[in-house]
Amino acid sequence: MNIESTPFLKLVEKIYKCLLSGLTAELFYVRDGQINFYALNFVVPVPATIGELHFTWQSLTRRPLPYILHVDVGKNEDVLHTPTLNISSVGFVPTEPQTWRVDLPCTGTVSAEVPVTISLNVSTGSSSTALLFRRRKVCLKEAPKPAVRVDSVPYAATSADIFYAAAGCAGGALLIAAVAAAACRVRARKLRRARSEEQDGHAFLPDSSCKSAASYTSYRRPTSLPAVAAEERARDLQQRIAELTIQRCRVRLRSVAMEGTFGRVYKGTYADEDGREQEVLVKTASEHASQIQLSLLLQEGCMLYGLRHERVLSVLGVSIEDQTAPFLLYPWSVGCRNLKQFLLACRGVNFGVAANGPPPPPLTTQHVVRMALHALDGLAYLHSQHVLHKDIAARNCIVDENLRVMIADNALSRDLFPGDYHCLGDNENRPIKWLALEALSKKQFSPSADIWALGVLLWELTTLAHQPYAEVDPFEVAAYLRDGYRLQQPANCPDELFAVMAYCWAMSPDDRPTLPQLQIFLRDFHTQLTRFV
């Protein structure tokens, strides 16, 4: 049996089109006579909303090749009905491209995950090839449907019935119209209130002029936020600052790491009460920063306050003194740097005043996957603490000299990375090209929206911080995504890794993977890389 090469066969699965709502990329299992073992060892999840898999094959010889096809789901009859094929289980691979399908119908009575193994054996007489495709089908228990009573004798309507029915319909239509109008007014008020609360509670505060993505000078406070909610948020921020307050005299600034229009990031040290010094990163503002800019810096810097995890960079302390800009201190170590800066340096691009250090070592696929797993672990912890980040990107992560990644807040990010934020006329500078479609068009944020952005972060890792959708105007991004277009597969990016990215960009939030699923996929893939490299 020849398991290293199959020059007589071509086999590809249209997995993205099947699982990802219209994406048309393909995952090759046999191409140019070589078997893609990474793809075969990758266990692909099949969401509950997907009930079929599509494969395309072709015999590269001048004659059809005999095959044997079998689908095994174990003893899970109560979860999954017997899978069916639209082709026979024994036959011949055609000489022209042909697409065949495997149906995986759930029973709807039990919620569970079923391992599915599709085995294919193709022979030429002198040699044969056996391929195994592993899937994990997700089935959900369906809610019981109410019984519907059907009378056995039809009722014959009279003219009077028709008249009264028409009159009733007309009255009902008027009533519905009145209720709908009232509901629209109530919903509009709620939307305005929710939008105002969201803008006040998150880093994206409204920009009244919106002339430059780098400018914060025109941020204004929302006027429609209830006074009680505003006071609660202000008290919460004041309490956090009080608990984090440190003495300015204990902070020593050494060098500027990054600088924007009004914000600066320093490297320095902090001495505790016992005189022990530790390396810190200090975020602050320049002399011409307004009070609104300073308030925004504090609000964003305290976003991850109180969180403790090895993959999350939380604020260490805050120093506020009269007539001076606040200092936000973060634990730091020698060799750490902003992840986007690091990736640009790997590509030979200098960014900022701190980009003159030695060039980083070249990144391998193993490095990229391991760094992505670090970001996954950090985001999983945030979600476990009921925290939505809403701005996952390389610019909001740090990496140390051992390529360990931590997720940070987005304080000063708009100022330090103005090219990553855009205003679409809605008085907000937002990371347009990192946002999920529902977050971009409807401002609906959820864990699934963070997962979409995590897919873009993974794309940044594989492209060394290229700009996503560089050829697409920010005003056209929403329509671009709505039409089913996504980021292209980067050069030298394995199919399995791009499958994970594309899975994160499913149109419906319910079709995107969960963080535990992504962790399983990437860990399995990293194991395969370690085994064969």
Side-chain angles (χ1 to χ4, degrees):
M1 180 181 296
N2 184 358
I3 62 171
E4 298 296 334
S5 62
T6 55
F8 51 82
L9 180 65
K10 175 182 178 182
L11 180 62
V12 57
E13 181 181 4
K14 296 188 184 240
I15 183 173
Y16 308 148
K17 183 174 182 181
C18 173
L19 299 182
L20 300 173
S21 303
L23 299 181
T24 56
E26 297 175 333
L27 180 59
F28 281 84
Y29 292 103
V30 182
R31 178 164 58 179
D32 299 329
Q34 298 297 321
I35 296 178
N36 187 347
F37 288 103
Y38 289 156
L40 289 175
N41 289 315
F42 190 68
V43 181
V44 180
V46 183
T49 54
I50 301 299
E52 56 188 32
L53 305 176
H54 296 262
F55 295 83
T56 299
W57 62 6
Q58 178 186 6
S59 170
L60 301 181
T61 64
R62 296 182 179 179
R63 59 185 178 82
L65 299 174
Y67 72 84
I68 300 176
L69 186 60
H70 178 68
V71 182
D72 181 26
V73 295
K75 296 181 179 179
N76 292 284
E77 298 84 356
D78 56 335
V79 182
L80 191 69
H81 291 299
T82 302
T84 58
L85 300 163
N86 68 336
I87 59 174
S88 62
S89 58
V90 178
F92 293 88
V93 181
T95 56
E96 297 295 330
Q98 179 194 53
T99 298
W100 48 276
R101 185 183 73 249
V102 181
D103 293 318
L104 302 173
C106 294
T107 62
T109 59
V110 180
S111 295
E113 293 187 0
V114 179
V116 179
T117 303
I118 304 172
S119 59
L120 173 66
N121 189 290
V122 181
S123 62
T124 60
S126 59
S127 62
S128 63
T129 297
L131 303 174
L132 292 179
F133 312 97
R134 296 177 176 86
R135 300 291 177 266
R136 186 182 295 110
K137 180 69 179 80
V138 179
C139 291
L140 299 178
K141 183 178 180 180
E142 297 178 357
K145 297 181 180 180
V148 178
R149 179 171 176 253
V150 180
D151 294 331
S152 58
V153 180
Y155 175 76
T158 65
S159 58
D161 293 332
I162 296 175
F163 170 78
Y164 288 121
C169 288
L174 292 176
L175 179 60
I176 291 173
V179 173
C184 286
R185 288 195 296 270
V186 173
R187 186 173 184 270
R189 287 197 297 268
K190 287 184 178 180
L191 284 176
R192 287 194 297 269
R193 187 182 302 114
R195 184 177 298 126
S196 185
E197 290 177 356
E198 178 182 356
Q199 290 169 344
D200 182 76
H202 188 253
F204 301 139
L205 296 181
D207 184 346
S208 58
S209 64
C210 202
K211 293 181 179 179
S212 170
S215 174
Y216 285 64
T217 56
S218 58
Y219 275 106
R220 54 180 173 82
R221 297 184 185 276
T223 57
S224 59
L225 183 68
V228 176
E231 292 176 1
E232 289 179 356
R233 293 179 186 275
R235 284 198 301 268
D236 181 59
L237 181 59
Q238 291 172 1
Q239 181 180 357
R240 293 184 180 190
I241 293 174
E243 295 174 356
L244 289 167
T245 297
I246 60 175
Q247 295 177 309
R248 179 71 57 91
C249 62
R250 299 183 182 276
V251 182
R252 183 174 62 182
L253 305 181
R254 286 206 313 262
S255 61
V256 178
M258 296 180 69
E259 186 171 11
T261 303
F262 76 88
R264 290 197 186 103
V265 181
Y266 292 90
K267 293 180 180 179
T269 59
Y270 167 68
D272 60 18
E273 296 180 355
D274 297 330
R276 293 173 302 207
E277 285 194 348
Q278 68 177 102
E279 296 287 328
V280 294
L281 193 73
V282 181
K283 291 185 180 182
T284 186
S286 58
E287 300 78 11
H288 59 272
S290 68
Q291 289 299 318
I292 299 299
Q293 294 163 356
L294 300 181
S295 176
L296 183 66
L297 172 63
L298 289 172
Q299 181 179 334
E300 292 178 336
C302 292
M303 180 179 69
L304 304 181
Y305 163 74
L307 301 181
R308 297 289 182 268
H309 192 271
E310 61 179 351
R311 300 301 174 211
V312 174
L313 182 68
S314 183
V315 63
L316 175 67
V318 176
S319 175
I320 300 179
E321 296 184 359
D322 293 339
Q323 307 301 324
T324 58
F327 280 9
L328 270 67
L329 275 64
Y330 299 83
W332 203 247
S333 61
V334 177
C336 286
R337 62 194 305 181
N338 179 274
L339 179 57
K340 182 160 186 172
Q341 277 189 323
F342 171 79
L343 295 173
L344 290 171
C346 290
R347 190 152 50 92
V349 178
N350 289 331
F351 184 95
V353 297
N356 298 320
L363 291 182
T364 65
T365 303
Q366 286 177 276
H367 293 147
V368 167
V369 175
R370 187 165 64 247
M371 294 164 75
L373 281 168
H374 294 166
L376 268 171
D377 292 341
L379 185 59
Y381 171 73
L382 293 183
H383 287 183
S384 72
Q385 301 300 307
H386 308 289
V387 175
L388 296 179
H389 192 285
K390 301 184 182 180
D391 197 3
I392 294 293
R395 62 183 171 272
N396 294 323
C397 297
I398 65 166
V399 60
D400 65 12
E401 56 188 354
N402 295 318
L403 301 182
R404 291 175 295 205
V405 174
M406 300 177 70
I407 293 178
D409 57 52
N410 61 340
L412 297 182
S413 288
R414 295 183 195 80
D415 185 55
L416 300 174
F417 301 93
D420 291 353
Y421 295 84
H422 303 277
C423 176
L424 301 184
D426 54 0
N427 294 333
E428 293 187 40
N429 288 320
R430 298 185 289 163
I432 301 298
K433 298 183 178 182
W434 279 260
L435 293 179
L437 181 58
E438 70 276 5
L440 176 58
S441 58
K442 302 177 183 178
K443 298 183 182 179
Q444 294 178 350
F445 289 93
S446 66
S448 295
D450 275 353
I451 287 173
W452 177 298
L454 189 72
V456 182
L457 169 59
L458 185 53
W459 188 88
E460 288 185 278
L461 290 172
T462 56
T463 62
L464 300 181
H466 273 279
Q467 195 72 7
Y469 310 107
E471 73 286 356
V472 181
D473 186 275
F475 285 88
E476 303 296 331
V477 171
Y480 187 82
L481 299 176
R482 198 175 293 112
D483 290 340
Y485 294 100
R486 298 293 186 270
L487 291 167
Q488 295 182 353
Q489 182 172 354
N492 301 321
C493 174
D495 291 341
E496 301 79 16
L497 193 55
F498 185 64
V500 174
M501 300 181 207
Y503 197 13
C504 295
W505 304 326
M507 190 78 71
S508 171
D510 295 334
D511 290 339
R512 294 170 203 158
T514 63
L515 287 173
Q517 286 176 327
L518 288 175
Q519 288 171 322
I520 292 173
F521 306 154
L522 288 181
R523 283 170 183 160
D524 289 346
F525 184 47
H526 186 266
T527 300
Q528 297 297 330
L529 290 172
T530 306
R531 182 179 304 169
F532 291 106
V533 176

